[in-house]
């Protein structure tokens, strides 16, 4: 089992929060970036090896920036990394890519809004990024990433994206906030990637906003967590209609920030969801199996605080990770936070393997593809690494 006590922990960003982490398939390298949700600072992207040694760090700007790094990714082969986020309050976003070996810059562009998520194919030859209403696909050519395809979703905001491991398919989550009645609408858009171009499939319109998406290695199945705490699944054969939508019988369930899915070697499709509970400021995690166009609840478990995006699965679904924590008073000028936890659950039974407490809330946590190493990070500015 993966040990409860981290094999190492580092705080390279002077206690500035860390919003996103990524780890390659073998767990040889971990990537994370510093950020501040409500302030400016000097932010950077960091690369560490499995022994806890810093391989490199790269500032996102030579000047102080607003918010900083929002999302990072690393190719499963451990060769390429990407980061996106925000540079200024007026909405200037950035998208950067690197060689993991030495931190060499392979892409550095400014965009019109914060980059909300980035995703890489297994070999890092393709990079997917989203910002505002836009999706962009980049290809590695002659040692640099070049934008080769893009599309927009007018009226919707792109909040999550995923590229299949084989680089042949992609999926994007979008949301529209309906101010007149305080509701949301969602659109899940899937693509085939043909000759390195995004070829749109028929999208699915949902009566509630989608929050996060994930896709299987083959790209033939994908899913999303929704604004009401539920989950939907899709197949390539019928992309504009959900195979099913599932919401567990949990009082006050809402806002599912955390989501991941995998197709195991025996072709079982598993989906893990982390959702919040209204009023009581708690969260939960639940695991589903998608079978015969229906969802089978495998297990569900409570979290001490609101669930955050640190839900992840290894390839075989042996483990599920989760994170929690939330602001304690949203009406004060200086945001105060609850403590947080990192969780590890047994993927088959839902038994909590361990819970690791931190002084402030935790947002990201990711188990590697092989299921033997984990990287997580906290708003206290520390990144933690666990292994068997």
């Amino acid at each position: 089992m993966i040990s409860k006590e981290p094999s190492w922990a580092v705080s390279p960003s002077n206690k500035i929060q860390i919003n996103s982490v990524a780890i390659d398939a073998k767990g040889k390298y971990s990537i994370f970036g510093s950020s501040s949700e409500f302030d400016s600072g000097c932010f950077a992207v960091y690369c560490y090896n499995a022994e806890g040694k810093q391989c490199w760090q790269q500032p996102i700007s030579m000047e102080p920036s607003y918010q900083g790094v929002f999302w990072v990714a690393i190719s499963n082969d451990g060769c390429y990394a990407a980061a996106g986020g925000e540079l200024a309050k007026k909405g200037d976003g950035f998208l950067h890519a690197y060689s993991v070996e030495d931190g060499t810059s392979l892409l550095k562009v400014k965009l019109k809004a914060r980059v909300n998520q980035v995703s890489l194919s297994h070999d890092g030859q393709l990079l997917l990024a989203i910002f505002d209403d836009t999706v962009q696909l980049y290809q590695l050519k002659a040692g640099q990433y070049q934008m080769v395809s893009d599309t927009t979703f007018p009226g919707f905001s792109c909040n999550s994206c995923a590229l299949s491991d084989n680089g042949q398919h992609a999926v994007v989550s979008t949301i529209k906030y309906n101010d007149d009645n305080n509701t949301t609408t969602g659109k899940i858009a899937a693509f085939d990637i043909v000759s390195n171009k995004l070829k749109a499939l028929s999208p699915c319109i949902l009566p509630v906003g989608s929050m996060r998406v994930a896709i299987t290695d083959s790209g033939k199945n994908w899913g999303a967590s929704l604004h009401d705490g539920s989950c939907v699944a899709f197949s390539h054969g019928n992309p504009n209609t959900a195979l099913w939508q599932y919401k567990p019988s949990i009082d006050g369930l809402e806002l599912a920030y955390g989501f991941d899915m995998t197709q195991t070697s025996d072709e079982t499709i598993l989906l893990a969801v982390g959702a919040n509970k209204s009023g009581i400021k708690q969260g939960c995690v639940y695991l589903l199996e998608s079978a015969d166009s229906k969802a089978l609840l495998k297990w569900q478990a409570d979290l001490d605080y609101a669930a955050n995006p640190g839900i992840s699965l290894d390839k075989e679904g042996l483990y599920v990770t989760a994170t929690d924590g939330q602001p304690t008073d949203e009406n004060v000028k200086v945001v105060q936070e609850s403590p947080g936890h990192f969780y590890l659950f047994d993927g088959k039974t839902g038994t909590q393997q361990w819970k690791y407490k931190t002084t402030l809330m935790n947002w990201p946590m990711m188990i590697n593809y092989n299921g033997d190493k984990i990287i997580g990070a906290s708003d206290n500015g520390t990144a933690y690494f666990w292994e068997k």
Side-chain angles (χ1 to χ4, degrees):
M1 187 182 76
I2 298 173
S3 174
K4 174 184 177 180
E5 294 303 318
S7 58
W8 52 265
V10 294
S11 305
S13 57
N14 296 320
K15 298 185 178 180
I16 301 173
Q17 70 188 60
I18 299 171
N19 196 71
S20 180
V21 298
I23 188 169
D24 68 66
K26 294 181 179 179
K28 186 177 180 181
Y29 296 106
S30 296
I31 304 291
F32 49 90
S34 55
S35 64
S36 179
E37 189 174 359
F38 302 107
D39 206 351
S40 296
C42 296
F43 306 117
V45 178
Y46 302 89
C47 177
Y48 278 75
N49 67 18
E51 289 71 47
K53 179 182 177 181
Q54 185 181 108
C55 302
W56 49 265
Q57 72 177 67
Q58 292 286 8
I60 63 169
S61 174
M62 301 311 294
E63 303 294 332
S65 306
Y66 181 69
Q67 289 203 345
V69 183
F70 194 75
W71 209 272
V72 297
I74 187 171
S75 58
N76 259 338
D77 67 1
C79 293
Y80 302 98
E86 192 167 17
L87 295 172
K89 277 187 177 182
K90 63 180 180 180
D92 288 345
F94 73 89
L95 176 62
H96 295 174
Y98 313 90
S99 165
V100 171
E101 182 180 12
D102 55 12
T104 299
S105 175
L106 306 178
L107 175 70
K108 192 173 185 179
V109 295
K110 288 185 178 181
L111 301 168
K112 67 178 182 179
R114 185 183 75 183
V115 171
N116 288 324
Q117 194 162 356
V118 291
S119 181
L120 286 157
S121 60
H122 174 87
D123 59 7
Q125 296 302 299
L126 293 177
L127 164 63
L128 193 69
I130 55 167
F131 59 95
D132 195 41
D133 64 354
T134 302
V135 183
Q136 290 185 341
L137 181 69
Y138 291 77
Q139 181 187 8
L140 189 60
K141 296 180 179 181
Q144 292 287 312
Y145 282 97
Q146 299 177 33
M147 206 265 285
V148 291
S149 185
D150 66 344
T151 190
T152 60
F153 299 92
F156 285 82
S157 297
C158 299
N159 55 6
S160 180
C161 69
L163 190 61
S164 65
D165 215 40
N166 61 15
Q168 296 176 10
H169 307 276
V171 62
V172 173
S173 163
T174 72
I175 190 169
K176 178 190 291 184
Y177 292 93
N178 307 311
D179 295 333
D180 54 340
N181 55 8
N182 200 31
T183 62
T184 59
T185 304
K187 180 187 290 186
I188 305 295
F191 303 87
D192 290 339
I193 299 175
V194 181
S195 300
N196 297 318
K197 300 292 183 182
L198 293 167
K199 180 182 178 182
L201 307 179
S202 298
C204 178
I205 304 296
L206 298 167
V208 61
S210 52
M211 299 301 298
R212 197 155 309 285
V213 290
I215 193 168
T216 59
D217 293 347
S218 68
K220 297 299 185 180
N221 295 87
W222 58 91
S225 61
L226 304 185
H227 202 269
D228 64 355
S230 66
C231 173
V232 288
F234 298 86
S235 71
H236 190 270
N238 193 14
N240 63 351
T241 304
L243 292 171
W244 48 259
Q245 180 173 351
Y246 182 89
K247 187 174 184 178
S249 300
I250 300 173
D251 290 341
L253 198 65
E254 63 176 14
L255 203 56
Y257 271 127
F259 180 65
D260 198 11
M261 72 183 297
T262 187
Q263 185 169 20
T264 65
S265 56
D266 66 2
E267 299 190 352
T268 301
I269 297 174
L270 300 172
L271 305 95
V273 183
N276 295 346
K277 299 178 185 179
S278 63
I280 58 176
K281 293 287 187 178
Q282 274 189 327
C284 70
V285 56
Y286 60 93
L287 185 76
L288 304 171
E289 178 182 345
S290 182
D292 299 324
S293 298
K294 64 181 178 181
L296 305 175
L297 179 66
K298 307 297 287 185
W299 53 264
Q300 62 190 45
D302 288 334
L303 305 179
D304 287 3
Y305 300 105
N308 289 325
I311 299 289
S312 72
L313 287 158
D314 58 277
K315 167 64 176 176
E316 299 302 330
L318 300 177
Y319 298 107
V320 179
T321 71
T323 55
D324 70 6
Q326 73 264 330
T328 55
D329 190 343
E330 298 177 355
N331 298 316
V332 296
K333 290 184 178 180
V334 179
V335 177
Q336 299 174 353
E337 295 183 3
S338 73
H341 299 93
F342 297 103
Y343 297 83
L344 185 68
F345 295 94
D346 183 289
K348 294 188 181 300
T349 66
T351 302
Q352 183 181 293
Q353 300 294 300
W354 47 257
K355 178 172 66 173
Y356 187 89
K357 188 174 183 179
T358 54
T359 55
L360 295 176
M361 64 184 285
N362 306 318
W363 201 250
M365 188 179 188
M366 184 178 180
I367 192 167
N368 68 323
Y369 187 92
N370 291 359
D372 58 2
K373 297 178 177 65
I374 297 171
I375 184 72
S378 175
D379 276 12
N380 65 20
T382 302
Y384 304 85
F385 188 87
W386 297 266
E387 58 189 330
K388 286 185 176 180

